[in-house]
Amino acid sequence: MEGIPEKVEACLTDYIKHIEKQLPRDLLVGVYLYGSISLGAFDEEKSDIDFITLLKRDLTKEEGKCVKSIHQSLNVNSLGQRMDGMYLSIDHIGKTNGELSPYFYCSDGKVKKGHWDINAVTWWMLENNGIKVQGKRISDLSIRSKWNHVVENMKFNVDTYWLNKAKHKIMFVFDDMVEFCVLTLSRILSTLEVKKILTKVEALKIVKEILPQRWHLLLEEGWRLRHNPKSTSLYQSRVKRAVECRKFIFFVYQFCHDCYFDDVREMKKGWENNI
């Protein structure tokens, strides 16, 4: 499988064997990869295997049980435990969670039914960077993703998801949340700046070039947590670092509205004073 690390390829080969054995033969349309692995930035220690398994129709309840069994078998392998993906009908292509009824998905090796990581960014990455593991070619899927929908998704992330996260002071004390905050917001900024979805490493480099020196220490801390988490923190205080993270969220919000989003709004009064 071109572009797929050897260990991941072995895991996916095992996955395909299970799928072909336990699900009806004519049900599968294809299995596809997106995310870090499709950008050539897969980290065998940290990265998830982001996948979409397309089907000719929705899975039945019994077939959902088969999928749970498949992932339980794969979980004996550490990479199998990091398979994160969705089981979608072919008529779901291009649609987002708000348009879809609950579907089966796998997160951290556990299969559930509900809504998960399906949005404009998912479809854009699949169409432009995706890797076919099995089945139809991606070009034959007629995804037709739109960049303005990607921007709308980024706006939702900044305006809703991250502003809500900023209300919680305690969570930013922890290393994993600091890394997640810095790298994800950097990816959002770099995506809006260069109109392309980059790896997290590439995103950090771009953002360091476009943001004031004021934020460089926090960006370097995000880099440290990603690449050398056991090294000494660049901050003497976890509390001070947590405050910086929350201030960074507010800064990114305003920066995005000033530079990338059509409507410029003031930050909600009182939030920043409550940091």
Side-chain angles (χ1 to χ4, degrees), residues 219-243:
L219 296 174
E220 289 167 6
E221 179 74 350
W223 178 282
R224 181 192 71 80
L225 289 168
R226 180 68 178 177
H227 296 282
N228 193 12
K230 294 182 180 180
S231 62
T232 303
S233 174
L234 302 178
Y235 288 85
Q236 293 183 348
S237 166
R238 283 180 176 265
V239 173
K240 183 177 180 180
R241 188 182 66 176
V243 170

Side-chain angles (χ1 to χ4, degrees), residues 176-215:
D176 58 347
M177 194 61 200
V178 174
E179 179 188 348
F180 179 53
C181 172
V182 174
L183 269 63
T184 303
L185 290 175
S186 293
R187 175 174 267 179
I188 290 172
L189 282 170
S190 69
T191 298
L192 295 169
E193 176 69 15
V194 303
K195 297 180 175 60
K196 181 181 177 182
I197 297 174
L198 305 173
T199 68
K200 290 177 179 177
V201 172
E202 291 170 331
L204 275 173
K205 291 178 180 178
I206 292 290
V207 169
K208 202 169 181 181
E209 292 174 0
I210 65 175
L211 292 190
Q213 181 75 30
R214 156 84 175 82
W215 299 109

Side-chain angles (χ1 to χ4, degrees), residues 130-147:
I131 298 173
K132 184 194 84 170
V133 178
Q134 179 90 342
K136 278 190 174 185
R137 294 180 301 179
I138 292 173
S139 58
D140 292 335
L141 297 176
S142 301
I143 298 173
R144 298 188 181 93
S145 58
K146 296 181 179 179
W147 185 253

Side-chain angles (χ1 to χ4, degrees), residues 11-275:
C11 180
L12 292 171
T13 298
D14 195 21
Y15 171 67
I16 295 296
K17 286 179 181 178
H18 281 293
I19 288 286
E20 292 179 338
K21 183 178 180 181
Q22 297 193 47
L23 293 180
R25 281 191 177 181
D26 62 347
L27 183 59
L28 184 68
V29 174
V31 177
Y32 309 92
L33 303 180
Y34 67 102
S36 61
I37 197 165
S38 69
L39 295 174
F42 186 78
D43 184 328
E44 289 191 9
E45 298 299 322
K46 288 190 173 185
S47 296
D48 296 320
I49 302 173
D50 298 305
F51 74 93
I52 292 177
T53 295
L54 281 178
L55 309 161
K56 290 184 179 177
R57 56 168 172 75
D58 291 336
L59 291 170
T60 65
K61 186 176 180 180
E62 289 304 310
E63 289 164 351
K65 290 179 180 178
C66 290
V67 167
K68 289 181 180 181
S69 175
I70 289 169
H71 284 282
Q72 285 171 356
S73 298
L74 294 171
N75 284 346
V76 298
N77 183 318
S78 62
L79 284 174
Q81 294 172 20
R82 283 189 272 138
M83 285 192 69
D84 281 3
M86 297 151 285
Y87 291 82
L88 302 172
S89 168
I90 194 166
D91 61 4
H92 291 164
I93 288 176
K95 296 181 180 179
T96 58
N97 279 327
E99 304 170 271
L100 298 176
S101 56
Y103 49 82
F104 286 96
Y105 68 92
C106 182
S107 175
D108 297 325
K110 296 179 181 178
V111 174
K112 303 174 184 178
K113 191 172 184 180
H115 293 94
W116 202 60
D117 184 39
I118 195 73
N119 52 55
V121 177
T122 311
W123 293 119
W124 179 273
M125 290 191 75
L126 183 60
E127 183 176 18
N128 292 278
N129 307 104
I131 298 173
K132 184 194 84 170
V133 178
Q134 179 90 342
K136 278 190 174 185
R137 294 180 301 179
I138 292 173
S139 58
D140 292 335
L141 297 176
S142 301
I143 298 173
R144 298 188 181 93
S145 58
K146 296 181 179 179
W147 185 253
N148 65 304
H149 293 166
V150 173
V151 174
E152 288 170 9
N153 181 266
M154 298 292 173
K155 186 174 183 296
F156 172 83
N157 265 276
V158 171
D159 289 4
T160 303
Y161 181 84
W162 282 107
L163 282 187
N164 285 331
K165 287 289 185 188
K167 296 177 184 178
H168 304 284
K169 299 178 182 180
I170 300 298
M171 68 171 57
F172 292 99
V173 171
F174 302 103
D175 286 353
D176 58 347
M177 194 61 200
V178 174
E179 179 188 348
F180 179 53
C181 172
V182 174
L183 269 63
T184 303
L185 290 175
S186 293
R187 175 174 267 179
I188 290 172
L189 282 170
S190 69
T191 298
L192 295 169
E193 176 69 15
V194 303
K195 297 180 175 60
K196 181 181 177 182
I197 297 174
L198 305 173
T199 68
K200 290 177 179 177
V201 172
E202 291 170 331
L204 275 173
K205 291 178 180 178
I206 292 290
V207 169
K208 202 169 181 181
E209 292 174 0
I210 65 175
L211 292 190
Q213 181 75 30
R214 156 84 175 82
W215 299 109
H216 287 195
L217 183 64
L218 185 63
L219 296 174
E220 289 167 6
E221 179 74 350
W223 178 282
R224 181 192 71 80
L225 289 168
R226 180 68 178 177
H227 296 282
N228 193 12
K230 294 182 180 180
S231 62
T232 303
S233 174
L234 302 178
Y235 288 85
Q236 293 183 348
S237 166
R238 283 180 176 265
V239 173
K240 183 177 180 180
R241 188 182 66 176
V243 170
E244 283 293 276
C245 269
R246 296 176 67 235
K247 285 184 176 180
F248 186 57
I249 293 171
F250 292 118
F251 172 83
V252 169
Y253 168 91
Q254 195 65 58
F255 190 89
C256 285
H257 280 273
D258 288 344
C259 300
Y260 306 119
F261 300 150
D262 291 335
D263 61 320
V264 179
R265 297 179 297 169
E266 290 185 1
M267 208 174 300
K268 292 185 178 180
K269 293 181 180 178
W271 283 17
E272 192 165 24
N273 294 332
N274 193 40
I275 292 175

